Amino acid sequence: MYHKPTLPSRVMAWGAALAASLALSGCDLLVMNPHGDIAKQQASLIVTSTLLMLLIIVPVIALTLYFAYRYRQSNTEATYAPEWDHSTRLELVIWGAPLLIIIALGAITWISTHKLDPFRPLDRIAEDKPLVADVKPLEVYAVAMDWKWLFIYPEQGIALVNEMAAPVDRPIHFRFTSTSVMNTFYVPALAGMIYAMPGMETQLNAVINKPGVYEGLSAQYSGAGFSGMHFKFHGLSDAEFAHWVEGNKAGGNTLTRADYLKLEQPSAKEPIRRFASVEPGLWSAIVDRCVDGKKMCTSQMMAIDAAGGAGKGGVAGTMRSAWRDLDGARRERTVVAALCTPANPLGLPVETAEASPAVAQKN
């Protein structure tokens, strides 16, 4: 049975709606008010596209309401023309205006797609700050794991889990990959979302223009620990960044391949971890998916495929690799065994390579 709302309940409902609107009006919508030049250009593109589409949407809504009111059944003064079926001028307006908007949106999209290409190096720091000729971008390698982020600074020789930093007004060149499934790197204040995929390397060029601590996350669902896959992005001055680097070097161990294999195992809500140095060649091994030295690297596998494949002999070149789920359950995965690794350049079986004096001497 329907009960008409009483006056107090309606007052409370209106009061709640007013309070919510006032609370939302005080929010800082970081996506539309970011602190990185790339993100600002993307926000401007959203605003421009929305305004162009509103040039059609608003008149259509207004005319719909006007016609519904003007030609209502009770309005006997409205023109009644049941035989009317065509107007050239009206057709030109109906089709011409949207066509012009589509052309404008297409031109803006084409220009922005090239200008904001994530792989394209920056040509400016901000709208009023041109790029200095001799400035060198900060290199950052990012690995999406289950369920955490690993950041490697090759020039500084450090690595961190779930934390990264960059100097303000200095270009940043990111390289991304993933250990198992597709993930999305997203710092709303910095730039748009960039996918990280296993066995592949994607890139992003960006810059942060304002000091602060910003939220970073994965925007692609990737399993049980996805909700805790967050990290902190620090925008620092040059001096603060140098101090931050030195602090990481003083407070961590070396990130070796063995440490990486342990870190690669699924874990949720991982705390910040710091590594003072990184084993050489680790990043290329991560992208090539052969960190443990037992699996065949993808580049080698692709070279074999390009040469015609290994035929039936390739079926025997597989092995079982141990894996652990988030709940601790032990599992195994079938992988292609390595032919040659840095520790086994002749492609001998692991036991033979370890026992061979010639191989040991060569290494």
Side-chain angles (χ1 to χ4, degrees), residues 64-87:
T64 300
L65 297 175
Y66 170 75
F67 287 143
Y69 176 78
R70 178 73 173 82
Y71 296 101
R72 66 192 187 278
Q73 184 178 7
S74 60
N75 186 11
T76 57
E77 296 181 358
T79 302
Y80 178 65
E83 303 299 326
W84 180 89
D85 64 353
H86 179 72
S87 170

Side-chain angles (χ1 to χ4, degrees), residues 257-320:
R257 293 189 179 217
D259 292 326
Y260 175 85
L261 292 174
K262 295 177 182 178
L263 189 64
E264 186 185 24
Q265 298 294 319
S267 61
K269 297 181 179 180
E270 190 77 16
I272 296 174
R273 297 173 62 181
R274 308 176 191 279
F275 298 92
S277 59
V278 180
E279 181 176 327
L282 180 60
W283 170 253
S284 59
I286 295 172
V287 177
D288 241 354
R289 299 180 64 76
C290 54
V291 176
D292 60 2
K294 299 177 181 179
K295 297 189 294 244
M296 182 185 293
C297 296
T298 55
S299 58
Q300 187 179 22
M301 194 181 303
M302 288 186 289
I304 293 173
D305 291 340
K312 291 184 178 179
V315 178
T318 59
M319 57 178 282
R320 301 292 287 175

Side-chain angles (χ1 to χ4, degrees), residues 76-106:
T76 57
E77 296 181 358
T79 302
Y80 178 65
E83 303 299 326
W84 180 89
D85 64 353
H86 179 72
S87 170
T88 301
R89 287 183 295 179
L90 186 59
E91 291 286 344
L92 287 174
V93 173
I94 290 175
W95 295 105
L99 181 61
L100 292 175
I101 298 299
I102 291 172
I103 292 173
L105 285 172

Side-chain angles (χ1 to χ4, degrees), residues 49-316:
S49 302
T50 302
L51 292 177
L52 284 173
M53 290 184 285
L54 287 176
L55 291 177
I56 297 297
I57 295 173
V58 172
V60 167
I61 293 176
L63 288 173
T64 300
L65 297 175
Y66 170 75
F67 287 143
Y69 176 78
R70 178 73 173 82
Y71 296 101
R72 66 192 187 278
Q73 184 178 7
S74 60
N75 186 11
T76 57
E77 296 181 358
T79 302
Y80 178 65
E83 303 299 326
W84 180 89
D85 64 353
H86 179 72
S87 170
T88 301
R89 287 183 295 179
L90 186 59
E91 291 286 344
L92 287 174
V93 173
I94 290 175
W95 295 105
L99 181 61
L100 292 175
I101 298 299
I102 291 172
I103 292 173
L105 285 172
I108 292 173
T109 301
W110 189 89
I111 294 171
S112 300
T113 299
H114 291 80
K115 185 178 180 181
L116 298 176
D117 181 1
F119 282 71
R120 179 179 178 176
L122 300 183
D123 55 8
R124 72 181 197 187
I125 299 299
E127 187 175 4
D128 56 346
K129 293 181 180 179
L131 185 67
V132 180
D134 58 348
V135 67
K136 185 178 180 181
L138 174 68
E139 294 287 336
V140 179
Y141 300 160
V143 184
M145 296 180 162
D146 295 331
W147 287 270
K148 49 196 169 284
W149 289 93
L150 171 65
F151 299 102
I152 301 174
Y153 289 75
E155 297 172 348
Q156 289 73 24
I158 61 174
L160 300 97
V161 174
N162 287 340
E163 183 183 76
M164 67 164 298
V168 172
D169 290 341
R170 180 180 175 183
I172 313 170
H173 181 215
F174 290 96
R175 295 177 184 269
F176 301 99
T177 193
S178 177
T179 57
S180 57
V181 299
M182 182 183 295
N183 269 288
T184 307
F185 175 88
Y186 186 34
V187 180
L190 183 70
M193 294 179 285
I194 301 295
Y195 281 102
M197 294 166 279
M200 300 179 65
E201 181 182 284
T202 51
Q203 300 181 29
L204 170 66
N205 287 276
V207 63
I208 192 71
N209 300 122
K210 183 178 179 180
V213 181
Y214 305 103
E215 187 72 18
L217 66 151
S218 172
Q220 173 79 27
Y221 180 74
S222 57
F226 160 76
S227 60
M229 200 169 171
H230 294 255
F231 63 91
K232 295 297 182 183
F233 175 83
H234 300 266
L236 307 173
S237 65
D238 290 338
E240 290 173 335
F241 179 73
H243 180 71
W244 178 81
V245 170
E246 291 302 320
N248 282 284
K249 288 184 176 181
N253 300 317
T254 299
L255 178 60
T256 63
R257 293 189 179 217
D259 292 326
Y260 175 85
L261 292 174
K262 295 177 182 178
L263 189 64
E264 186 185 24
Q265 298 294 319
S267 61
K269 297 181 179 180
E270 190 77 16
I272 296 174
R273 297 173 62 181
R274 308 176 191 279
F275 298 92
S277 59
V278 180
E279 181 176 327
L282 180 60
W283 170 253
S284 59
I286 295 172
V287 177
D288 241 354
R289 299 180 64 76
C290 54
V291 176
D292 60 2
K294 299 177 181 179
K295 297 189 294 244
M296 182 185 293
C297 296
T298 55
S299 58
Q300 187 179 22
M301 194 181 303
M302 288 186 289
I304 293 173
D305 291 340
K312 291 184 178 179
V315 178

